[in-house]
């Protein structure tokens, strides 16, 4: 509890929105020169802009559903959350949802649905989605019970273990960061590996990994790569992309987001000296290209939890749709959690 924890939680929810809104500019781009990133970011300081000019996408739209559901139901309620996802999609279908998840969201609108997890199970010939759509919306779960809620919250759309385990990893990363764990980066990554060793230690995970020709414990393997990259003195963008990925699969984006945060704890060559760690993290995430909005959203949430709300530039908040809402709701959710 306490003011430190409130600042961190506000930071997590607000910086997640910023990553999504600011990162949308480069979503799907194969190569993003740092120069373009810095130009985009310096445009946010332009006083003539501002007041929500950068719209949020599916990442924030779904995170807002999670927040509203937790607040309204005072806890996790899959029926309520499923209804909110479906309603949000039918109200604003143009927020850049993944091609597969749209089918789930349409089915979730149906009134006579007895099992809200069934539409997700039917995806991709019964394999379920391994996209990062479950992981991108987990920050609100990170204050308490991150693994259980993140898993259930993700399974409403992502029933493949490589999808929902990515959501668990992202929630755990935000959870540890909220507790100040990034003060000891090596301990942080080792703790995540230890947690994921257990999370991936079951039949479903091993089966999915085998079918998709991944390592026996795919997220653990990727986290080991993150640790190897952390320990290197110089790492190029190309190496990060080839080792960790920048794609729409949770496996190719959650460990990447974690790496972005770790890599940006110290000043980086090629980034303005005026930048703090939070700005560095967002800038670096965008420079990777690929699924930039989602990777910046996830990295933003982890970094925001570490640096706190005070580290976030006001001008960035003013430019991003939904950033002020996220701040107000973070306070409400923080209050609610501390009644438990
Ligand atoms: P999803 O569940 O539709 O998954 C995204 C994509 O991953 C699918 O459309 C498939 O191509 C692929 N995929 C997932 N699981 C499987 C599987 N088992 N077998 C084969 N292919 C599979 O959507 P999501 O909610 O996970 O979203 C992931 C990303 O897509 C997010 O970054 C989101 O922003 C979105 N996205 C949107 C745009 C856009 O048009 N604005 C561009 C890129 C990504
Ligand atoms: Mg998006
Ligand atoms: Mg995306």
């Amino acid at each position: 509890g306490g003011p430190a924890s409130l600042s961190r939680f506000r930071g997590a929810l607000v910086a997640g929105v910023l990553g999504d809104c600011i990162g949308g500019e480069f979503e799907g781009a194969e190569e993003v020169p740092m120069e373009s990133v810095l130009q985009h970011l310096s445009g946010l300081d332009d006083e003539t802009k501002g007041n929500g000019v950068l719209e949020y996408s599916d990442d924030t739209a779904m995170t807002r559903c999670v927040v509203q559901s937790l607040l309204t139901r005072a806890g996790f309620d899959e029926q309520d959350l499923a209804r909110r996802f479906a309603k949000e999609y039918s109200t604003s279908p143009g927020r850049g949802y993944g091609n597969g998840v749209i089918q789930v969201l349409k089915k979730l609108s149906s009134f006579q649905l007895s099992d809200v997890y069934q539409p997700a199970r039917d995806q991709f010939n019964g394999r379920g989605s391994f996209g990062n759509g479950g992981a991108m919306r987990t920050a609100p779960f990170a204050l308490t019970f991150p693994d259980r809620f993140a898993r259930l919250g993700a399974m409403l759309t992502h029933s493949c273990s490589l999808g929902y385990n990515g959501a668990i990893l992202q929630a755990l990363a935000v959870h540890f960061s909220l507790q100040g764990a990034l003060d000891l980066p090596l301990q942080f990554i080792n703790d995540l590996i230890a947690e994921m060793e257990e999370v991936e230690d079951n039949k479903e995970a091993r089966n999915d990994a085998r079918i998709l020709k991944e390592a026996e414990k795919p997220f653990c393997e990727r986290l080991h790569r993150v640790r190897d990259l952390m320990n290197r003195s110089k790492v190029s963008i190309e190496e990060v992309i080839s080792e960790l990925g920048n794609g729409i699969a949770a496996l190719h984006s959650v460990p990447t987001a974690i790496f972005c945060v770790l890599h940006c704890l110290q000043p980086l060559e090629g980034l303005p000296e005026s930048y703090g760690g939070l700005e560095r993290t967002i800038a670096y995430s965008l420079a990777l290209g690929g699924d930039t909005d989602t990777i910046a959203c996830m990295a933003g949430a982890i970094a925001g939890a570490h640096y706190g709300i005070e580290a976030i530039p006001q001008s960035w908040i003013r430019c991003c749709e939904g950033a002020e809402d996220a701040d107000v709701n973070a306070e409400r959710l923080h209050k609610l959690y501390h009644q438990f």
Side-chain angles (χ1 to χ4, degrees):
S5 122
L6 176 59
S7 165
R8 286 176 181 275
F9 193 54
R10 289 170 63 197
L13 293 203
V14 172
V17 176
L18 298 190
D20 176 18
C21 292
I22 299 172
E25 171 82 6
F26 303 106
E27 189 180 18
E30 233 169 81
E31 256 178 63
V32 182
M34 188 56 93
E35 204 188 310
S36 309
V37 171
L38 297 180
Q39 206 166 27
H40 182 47
L41 291 175
S42 69
L44 306 180
D45 296 326
D46 183 345
E47 285 299 324
T48 60
K49 295 188 182 166
N51 296 322
V53 288
L54 297 177
E55 290 182 1
Y56 63 73
S57 75
D58 54 337
D59 309 57
T60 301
M62 296 190 95
T63 307
R64 288 163 67 96
C65 294
V66 172
V67 167
Q68 289 303 341
S69 184
L70 287 171
L71 284 173
T72 313
R73 307 299 301 154
F76 186 82
D77 178 340
E78 66 269 21
Q79 304 282 339
D80 181 75
L81 185 54
R83 252 192 312 273
R84 285 174 195 275
F85 285 156
K87 179 133 189 293
E88 169 59 35
Y89 173 72
S90 70
T91 313
S92 308
R95 295 265 189 199
Y97 289 85
N99 283 328
V101 76
I102 290 170
Q103 306 309 318
V104 179
L105 296 172
K106 285 179 179 163
K107 289 184 193 168
L108 286 176
S109 313
S110 154
F111 282 109
Q112 57 274 59
L113 197 66
S114 59
D115 179 359
V116 287
Y117 291 106
Q118 193 55 45
R121 287 191 206 107
D122 295 337
Q123 291 293 94
F124 301 101
N125 300 315
R127 296 244 174 92
S129 172
F130 52 61
N132 55 23
M136 71 191 183
R137 60 180 191 246
T138 55
F141 295 133
L143 215 44
T144 52
F145 316 119
D147 34 5
R148 216 178 90 225
F149 287 180
R151 181 174 194 271
L152 292 172
M155 285 177 79
L156 286 170
T157 51
H158 291 69
S159 77
C160 177
S161 65
L162 278 100
Y164 62 74
N165 282 344
I168 294 177
L169 174 57
Q170 168 64 13
L172 287 170
V174 179
H175 181 72
F176 287 155
S177 181
L178 285 169
Q179 294 163 352
L182 278 165
D183 289 337
L184 297 170
L186 197 57
Q187 183 72 42
F188 172 84
I189 196 76
N190 286 338
D191 287 349
L192 284 179
I193 292 172
E195 293 282 340
M196 292 310 289
E197 282 285 347
E198 294 202 13
V199 168
E200 296 193 292
D201 186 19
N202 56 66
K203 223 167 61 192
E204 298 82 59
R206 272 192 295 269
N207 197 37
D208 290 338
R210 192 174 43 78
I211 291 167
L212 292 163
K213 298 189 168 58
E214 294 292 345
E216 196 183 330
K217 292 185 174 179
F219 284 100
C220 289
E221 190 229 18
R222 295 277 162 160
L223 289 171
H224 280 108
R225 293 190 198 181
V226 170
R227 192 172 60 188
D228 292 344
L229 290 173
M230 264 170 87
N231 290 330
R232 299 234 311 257
S233 57
K234 254 196 150 58
V235 184
S236 72
I237 298 267
E238 293 73 22
E239 285 170 301
V240 176
I241 297 170
S242 82
E243 286 290 307
L244 303 176
N246 62 1
I248 54 175
L251 187 64
H252 302 152
S253 51
V254 180
T256 312
I258 292 169
F259 175 77
C260 288
V261 181
L262 290 164
H263 191 61
C264 294
L265 288 169
Q266 312 297 329
L268 278 190
E269 215 177 285
L271 286 180
E273 276 176 34
S274 61
Y275 275 15
L278 192 282
E279 293 103 309
R280 287 196 296 271
T281 304
I282 302 263
Y284 189 78
S285 307
L286 305 197
L288 294 181
D291 195 359
T292 47
D293 65 331
T294 304
I295 293 173
C297 169
M298 297 191 294
I302 302 166
H306 178 60
Y307 299 107
I309 190 72
E310 293 79 11
I312 301 180
Q314 278 300 324
S315 60
W316 291 20
I317 294 179
R318 275 195 300 274
C319 285
C320 296
E321 181 194 14
E324 304 264 10
D325 289 350
D327 197 6
V328 172
N329 284 328
E331 197 153 345
R332 291 188 182 135
L333 209 47
H334 191 267
K335 206 175 272 168
L336 173 73
Y337 277 137
H338 286 90
Q339 288 168 4
F340 294 155

